[in-house]
Amino acid sequence: MIELPFNNIDYGPPVKSVICHIGYVALVGKVSPSLFSADFANLGRVVVEISKLGADFLHIDIMDGSFVPNITIGPGVIKSIRPLTRVPFITHLMIDHPERMIENFADSGSDYITIHIEAKGDVGEAVKKIRQSGKKPGIALNPPTAFSKIERFLPLVDLVLVMTVNPGWPGQKFIPEAAAKIREAKTLITEEELTTLIEVDGGINAETGKICRNFGVDILAAGSWIFGAPDRKKAMDELKSL
Ligand code: DX5
Ligand code: ZN
């Protein structure tokens, strides 16, 4: 049984404005646990637990069996977990024709809605619809896709999602060449004085997360590293300290 109400959860101070110390290590990096690796039979409980442990965002993977050969959950499930936490949701849409589904995901309570540049359909229209719905658009790119393909979207989005695995499954091996695009994104964002956040997703652990931080990433999404850890708080704090 999930305990109610959830409004009494003490999330502590926002990480952005407060530097916490464990020993001499500052926990200032942002972490976004990917629910794909959570126990779906206990999803609500996991959402509450991981929020209490200090998740900065929750990364929610949506797959349609077309853009990727796998299927996960839809907007109905996001809606059902929305009242359980105040942690912002980054919804990662690995779907074709995202422009057809934006209203549904906006209504679900997602905060960021990220779509893929490689998706079939009208990516520009999808970005516009996300903005019109009052949500924050994000643009994602797969490991084989050059950074130049998303450059024109940079001033239009709030988040760039650099994939360091080919999407479809958790627990895959990090592709270092793909992570180098973080640096390209960071350089352009700095030059253009934009506030766009950079998130990286796929095969993130303490070692690969460090590489990404050095490239200038803002948010580390991690699934199996956090949910497969015996101590999830320790795993998250380790990523925040990189
Ligand atoms: C991959 C998903 C990822 C994945 C991450 O298609 O987009 O978010 O769940 O899992 P790990 O961290 O295990 O690679
Ligand atoms: Zn993802």
Side-chain angles (χ1 to χ4, degrees), residues 2 35 38-48 73 77 81 84:
I2 297 168
L35 295 182
D39 172 9
F40 274 76
N42 289 296
L43 189 58
R45 195 187 291 277
V46 172
V47 166
V48 173
I73 57 171
V77 176
I81 59 171
L84 308 185

Side-chain angles (χ1 to χ4, degrees), residues 63-78:
M63 303 183 182
D64 65 350
S66 171
F67 181 73
V68 285
N70 200 354
I71 296 178
T72 54
I73 57 171
V77 176
I78 301 180

Side-chain angles (χ1 to χ4, degrees), residues 149-216:
K149 299 273 183 207
I150 63 154
E151 266 184 36
R152 73 196 156 96
F153 284 102
L154 235 58
L156 307 174
V157 298
D158 291 307
L159 184 117
V160 169
L161 178 60
V162 176
M163 293 302 299
T164 40
V165 298
N166 287 301
W169 288 269
Q172 300 184 75
K173 202 166 173 291
F174 177 82
I175 301 172
E177 297 78 20
K181 282 179 272 179
I182 295 168
R183 180 174 280 162
E184 290 184 73
K186 188 72 182 178
T187 304
L188 196 60
I189 288 165
T190 309
E191 275 172 14
E192 306 282 322
E193 297 182 354
L194 301 169
T195 54
T196 325
L197 294 173
I198 308 172
E199 184 183 26
V200 66
D201 183 17
I204 297 300
N205 54 37
E207 191 188 336
T208 59
K210 182 74 187 160
I211 296 169
C212 296
R213 289 275 188 230
N214 288 342
F215 280 142

Side-chain angles (χ1 to χ4, degrees), residues 8 11-12 18 25 32 56 108 125 133 144 156 173 177 181 202-203 230:
N8 297 330
Y11 294 112
V18 173
V25 182
S32 185
D56 299 294
S108 74
E125 178 65 11
S133 69
L156 307 174
K173 202 166 173 291
E177 297 78 20
K181 282 179 272 179

